């Protein structure tokens, strides 16, 4: 392994970067190290493990720094100044990964590290993007249902075709990763971008396990936000649906007014059906509010892009090359609101 260590230390010839976003994962990191490093050592090719500490407030930062001391030859730790979200953390990693292939992995061991060789084998065959499908999913039941619905919606209204959008154990060629990092979107959904950019994508089935400890870092609100990111970044169909609904409602209400005018002329003034009218009006008000919210989703993202605010700032980097650098005034190229 000595030669591998040398090449890795010099920052050259790293073939494989394993990229792990970490947000408050103190309960699982030791278990992750215990399973991840042996798998990578057994691969016998120059690798690095790049942890992106996404503004953790627990002991994760310390645990990662300790792991860096254990394996400084193959470990790098990037710390963001605050919690920017899993996908922003991945972009921070893509910008700095040195490997020809980059394999992303969740820290909570839901993606078994033992599956990494299978992803690498696909990349060796020349695929520039390796997506993944969870053989059997181990999450809460409501997450299964919600994600099945989102999968179906995404299939309908975007041109992104992927079997399983939720699994983050995926392989990216360096070119694709850099392209994604440069895409300059304020908020995005990385696997979907990869499908857009990949020339030779493929998918494999991988095992999925229960979270090894701690809690999911996605609240219901964060999940909804992420799915809005997925839809609004890749489709304008919701906006078109609003226009179509507007047209249909206008036609129907015009016909209704004609009908009422007809009755007024031939039957005189009437007051029946007031509650039906209330019902219709309130329904239309709901539709209006929903449409405004949908517009707001798009406008909010445009607003983020216009402000050109950095989405994250790299506060410190632990790597063997130049020793410990801190703080570094580097920032993500992806501006946007947080
Ligand atoms: N994560 C992150 N920033 C966040 C939320 C999550 O870096 O704001 C990381 C988290 O530490 C984990 C991965 O993203 O490594 C997936 O998160 P989690 O397991 O909580 O999501 P779930 O599996 O429930 O979808
Ligand atoms: Mg998880």
């Amino acid at each position: 392994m000595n030669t591998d260590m040398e090449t890795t230390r010099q920052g050259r010839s790293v073939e494989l970067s394993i990229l792990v976003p970490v947000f408050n994962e103190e309960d699982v990191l030791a278990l992750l190290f215990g399973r991840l490093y042996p798998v990578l050592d057994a691969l016998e090719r120059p690798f690095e493990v790049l942890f992106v500490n996404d503004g953790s407030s627990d002991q994760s930062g310390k645990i990662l720094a300790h792991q860096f001391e254990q394996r400084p030859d193959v470990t790098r730790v990037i710390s963001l100044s605050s919690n920017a979200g899993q996908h922003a953390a991945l972009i921070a990693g893509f910008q700095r990964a040195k490997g020809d292939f980059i394999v992303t992995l969740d820290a909570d061991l839901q993606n078994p590290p033992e599956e990494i060789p299978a992803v690498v084998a696909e990349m060796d065959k020349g695929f520039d993007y390796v997506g993944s499908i969870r053989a059997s999913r181990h999450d809460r039941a409501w997450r299964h249902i919600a994600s099945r619905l989102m999968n179906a919606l995404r299939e309908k209204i975007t041109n992104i075709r992927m079997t399983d959008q939720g699994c983050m154990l995926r392989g990216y060629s360096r070119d694709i990763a850099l392209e994604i990092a440069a895409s300059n979107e304020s908020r995005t959904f990385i696997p979907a971008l990869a499908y857009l950019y990949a020339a030779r994508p493929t998918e494999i089935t991988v095992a999925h396990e229960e979270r090894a400890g701690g809690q999911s870092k996605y609240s219901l609100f964060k999940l909804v936000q992420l799915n809005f990111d997925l839809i609004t970044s890749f489709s304008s169909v919701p906006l078109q649906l609003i226009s179509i609904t507007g047209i249909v409602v206008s036609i129907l209400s015009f016909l209704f007014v004609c009908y009422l005018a007809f009755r007024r002329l031939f039957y005189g003034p009437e007051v029946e059906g007031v509650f039906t009218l209330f019902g219709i009006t309130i329904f239309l008000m709901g539709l209006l509010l929903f449409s405004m919210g949908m517009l707001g989703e798009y406008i909010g993202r445009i607003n983020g892009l216009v402000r050109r605010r950095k989405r994250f700032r790299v506060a410190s980097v632990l790597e063997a090359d130049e020793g410990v650098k801190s703080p570094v005034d580097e920032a993500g190229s992806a501006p946007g609101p947080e």
Side-chain angles (χ1 to χ4, degrees):
M1 283 311 289
N2 230 344
T3 50
D4 289 354
M5 284 179 195
E6 280 312 307
T7 47
T8 308
R9 183 172 294 134
Q10 287 157 15
R12 273 185 274 111
S13 315
V14 177
E15 281 182 29
L16 181 63
S17 294
I18 305 296
L19 175 54
V20 190
V22 177
F23 178 50
N24 292 346
E25 300 285 10
E26 60 184 7
D27 294 333
V28 295
L29 285 176
L31 290 169
L32 172 70
F33 302 151
R35 280 174 61 183
L36 179 61
Y37 284 83
V39 169
L40 297 174
D41 286 332
L43 271 178
E44 293 192 337
R45 48 167 91 195
F47 70 89
E48 62 169 5
V49 185
L50 184 53
F51 293 101
V52 181
N53 180 4
D54 184 19
S56 299
S57 54
D58 66 355
Q59 296 296 308
S60 297
K62 274 196 186 139
I63 299 170
L64 290 174
H66 183 255
Q67 178 61 18
F68 170 69
E69 281 162 19
Q70 301 297 306
R71 297 291 302 268
D73 51 320
V74 288
T75 307
R76 291 160 76 205
V77 182
I78 296 170
S79 295
L80 305 186
S81 59
S82 58
N83 181 232
Q86 181 184 5
H87 291 248
L90 289 176
I91 286 191
F94 281 163
Q95 287 172 347
R96 290 163 185 79
K98 294 175 180 167
D100 303 326
F101 307 147
I102 297 144
V103 175
T104 58
L105 193 74
D106 283 353
D108 59 359
L109 286 171
Q110 287 202 275
N111 309 136
E114 294 75 20
E115 297 279 13
I116 292 174
V119 177
V120 173
E122 293 302 305
M123 306 225 73
D124 281 340
K125 287 183 202 160
F127 293 108
D128 54 358
Y129 172 57
V130 184
S132 56
I133 305 161
R134 289 167 288 192
S136 68
R137 192 176 165 185
H138 293 276
D139 274 313
R140 290 171 181 247
W142 68 270
R143 293 274 303 260
H144 286 239
I145 299 164
S147 103
R148 205 164 300 151
L149 288 175
M150 275 314 298
N151 262 325
L153 182 65
R154 175 191 40 75
E155 281 287 320
K156 281 226 154 48
I157 71 174
T158 73
N159 53 5
I160 310 290
R161 301 281 163 263
M162 56 177 149
T163 314
D164 182 1
Q165 65 195 32
C167 186
M168 291 306 277
L169 174 65
R170 287 164 194 271
Y172 304 81
S173 74
R174 190 179 169 68
D175 287 347
I176 303 261
L178 287 176
E179 205 67 67
I180 291 173
S183 70
N184 223 24
E185 295 201 33
S186 59
R187 332 174 55 121
T188 193
F189 196 88
I190 286 173
L193 265 186
Y195 271 100
L196 214 59
Y197 293 146
R200 284 197 69 201
T202 185
E203 283 185 333
I204 56 168
T205 303
V206 295
H208 191 243
E209 295 177 3
E210 286 195 32
R211 194 171 234 288
Q215 295 275 321
S216 170
K217 304 300 175 277
Y218 277 95
S219 60
L220 178 61
F221 183 63
K222 263 186 161 181
L223 265 184
V224 171
Q225 270 191 330
L226 183 68
N227 281 296
F228 267 124
D229 288 342
L230 174 60
I231 297 300
T232 57
S233 298
F234 296 95
S235 170
S236 301
V237 170
L239 294 179
Q240 287 151 1
L241 280 182
I242 291 175
S243 316
I244 293 170
T245 313
I247 293 170
V248 171
V249 170
S250 304
I251 293 173
L252 287 179
S253 63
F254 176 73
L255 293 176
F256 191 51
V257 168
C258 291
Y259 171 70
L260 287 181
F262 173 82
R263 289 186 68 101
R264 179 74 176 75
L265 285 176
F266 293 94
Y267 299 100
E270 293 171 303
V271 283
E272 293 131 51
V274 171
F275 289 110
T276 317
L277 263 182
F278 264 142
I280 294 172
T281 311
I282 290 171
F283 171 73
L284 290 181
M285 275 164 62
L287 213 62
L288 261 178
L289 281 179
F290 173 77
S291 307
M292 278 168 63
M294 206 65 236
L295 277 176
E297 285 296 325
Y298 285 88
I299 294 173
R301 281 165 178 78
I302 298 170
N303 188 26
L305 284 174
V306 171
R307 274 190 274 133
R308 302 195 62 77
R309 190 179 294 163
K310 304 297 182 193
R311 189 169 182 192
F312 54 82
R313 191 179 77 82
V314 175
S316 67
V317 178
L318 291 173
E319 58 187 1
D321 285 356
E322 291 106 319
V324 180
K325 294 188 286 183
S326 172
V328 187
D329 194 20
E330 271 180 286
S333 62
E338 270 317 311

